[in-house]
Amino acid sequence: SSAFYVTSTDLVAITGVHLIILSIKYGYTDITPFIYGVYGLIECAYLGNTPVGEQYANLALKLTANNNKYCCRVVYLTTCMIKHWSNHLSEAIPSLSYSYKKGFEYGDLEYASYALVSYVLYPFYVGDNLSKVKQIMIDHEGLILETKMDMLINMYMFNWQVILNLLGEAPGDKIVGEKYDEFKSIKYFEENKEYNALCQIQYVKSY
């Protein structure tokens, strides 16, 4: 579903509903909790039914309690795509820590990487002390680079450079320095149609 989410959000809705129907028809499998999480996302983001979406998120979390194989992606999905509609972003940080550690432990490397980068960046987004945030970035740099996921690494480096600028450790108002060059990376994102990354860059630069 991550590929669908990046390339066509309409496919997320279509596929999510289809998978729900299959689960009802043929029964529960290990991936079913994640499917319920995807449907919770549909209810929140597409239909505007946040309470219903949260019910599906809670059901997904309950069903995945003893399911280590898909635990990481279920916790990541419900935390980053559903719970933020009604909970403060700071409440997500412990869940993201749990999610990425479970993912690396049980081999769900894609979603572990998503959770890891979110865990590192959320303290910045909620307004934590910048020196503290910088140390979090330093502590996790090696692990993030090991993911070899270019888009995530680019977003991580972008935010790190923003922090260095805000701390006065890089000159000027452009996001260019030791960790990041916005002009090179924006070109990369445009060429690869990474619209979520482009949106995040413009959002962060706006403040």
Side-chain angles (χ1 to χ4, degrees):
S1 66
S2 59
F4 288 165
Y5 185 78
V6 172
T7 57
S8 174
T9 52
D10 289 341
L11 284 176
V12 175
I14 294 169
T15 305
V17 171
H18 183 64
L19 290 174
I20 282 285
I21 293 171
L22 289 176
S23 288
I24 293 171
K25 185 175 181 180
Y26 294 107
Y28 177 93
T29 67
D30 286 346
I31 197 66
T32 299
F34 183 69
I35 294 169
Y36 286 144
V38 171
Y39 189 75
L41 167 63
I42 293 169
E43 286 286 349
C44 290
Y46 292 80
L47 303 178
N49 296 329
T50 303
V52 175
E54 287 210 13
Q55 289 178 359
Y56 275 94
N58 292 333
L59 175 60
L61 290 169
K62 182 178 180 180
L63 290 174
T64 201
N66 296 313
N67 182 351
N68 289 318
K69 183 177 180 181
Y70 293 106
C71 177
C72 166
R73 65 180 59 197
V74 171
V75 174
Y76 169 79
L77 173 66
T78 55
T79 299
C80 290
M81 305 293 183
I82 299 173
K83 295 290 185 178
H84 73 285
W85 290 95
S86 57
N87 297 340
H88 193 276
L89 205 61
S90 61
E91 297 179 29
I93 295 172
S95 295
L96 290 170
S97 174
Y98 175 81
S99 175
Y100 90 74
K101 290 172 184 175
K102 279 287 187 180
F104 284 123
E105 181 180 358
Y106 288 96
D108 193 353
L109 302 183
E110 178 186 6
Y111 280 86
S113 301
Y114 296 145
L116 171 62
V117 172
S118 298
Y119 169 74
V120 171
L121 297 183
Y122 271 31
F124 174 46
Y125 296 155
V126 302
D128 276 1
N129 178 276
L130 289 177
S131 296
K132 174 186 172 183
V133 175
K134 178 185 173 184
Q135 189 58 51
I136 293 172
M137 308 277 283
I138 292 171
D139 292 343
H140 293 82
E141 180 181 20
L143 191 56
I144 288 173
L145 294 177
E146 286 179 11
T147 68
K148 302 187 185 302
M149 296 182 69
D150 289 343
M151 190 272 287
L152 293 178
I153 292 171
N154 264 283
M155 290 312 306
Y156 166 75
M157 290 298 184
F158 165 73
N159 282 274
W160 193 344
Q161 189 61 54
V162 169
I163 291 167
L164 293 177
N165 281 41
L166 292 173
L167 286 169
E169 297 181 20
D173 59 351
K174 303 300 182 183
I175 314 303
V176 177
E178 173 191 353
K179 296 295 181 183
Y180 193 84
D181 184 331
E182 68 171 289
F183 301 106
K184 292 180 181 178
S185 294
I186 287 175
K187 182 180 179 181
Y188 167 83
F189 288 139
E190 288 175 342
E191 290 175 350
N192 291 277
K193 298 182 179 180
E194 295 283 4
Y195 300 124
N196 287 331
L198 289 168
C199 178
Q200 188 178 8
I201 289 173
Q202 295 306 317
Y203 170 72
V204 172
K205 288 181 66 177
S206 71
Y207 61 86

